[in-house]
Amino acid sequence: GKRLMGASRFETCVLSSWSPDGRQLLAATTAPRMRVDNKIVVYDYCGCRISQNPFEELLSASWRPRPRGTYQERPPSPEREA
């Protein structure tokens, strides 16, 4: 079954995607939809912010593709707390 591991709020998020290993979430505010506060924010799978990178103008953001099978399937870390 599925269970909520964490939550986070990013009000100006224009796009988001999970990393190829499924452990981080990339969220971005991009132009031209948002002309101010363009940035990339990376969260871990529990919703904790890992990094934030501001840009003057950001048009797109994505993870570098990886071939299927590059990363082993792993269960969520049982000791992690949101």
Side-chain angles (χ1 to χ4, degrees):
K2 295 180 182 181
R3 69 182 179 119
L4 180 64
M5 295 292 296
S8 193
R9 189 174 180 94
F10 188 6
E11 276 119 14
T12 59
C13 182
V14 173
L15 60 90
S16 63
S17 67
W18 285 100
S19 64
D21 67 356
R23 304 303 260 185
Q24 293 89 30
L25 178 72
L26 178 145
T29 302
T30 58
R33 182 155 182 235
M34 298 293 290
R35 292 286 183 189
V36 296
D37 295 331
N38 283 195
K39 62 187 162 207
I40 294 173
V41 181
V42 178
Y43 298 94
D44 68 8
Y45 65 88
C46 288
C48 298
R49 186 183 311 182
I50 296 173
S51 70
Q52 180 173 315
N53 302 301
F55 294 87
E56 187 67 32
E57 182 178 57
L58 179 65
L59 299 176
S60 183
S62 65
W63 295 102
R64 181 175 286 171
R66 294 287 180 252
R68 201 174 280 286
T70 300
Y71 303 101
Q72 290 181 338
E73 291 290 324
R74 300 185 308 178
S77 303
E79 68 278 356
R80 283 294 305 266
E81 294 294 324

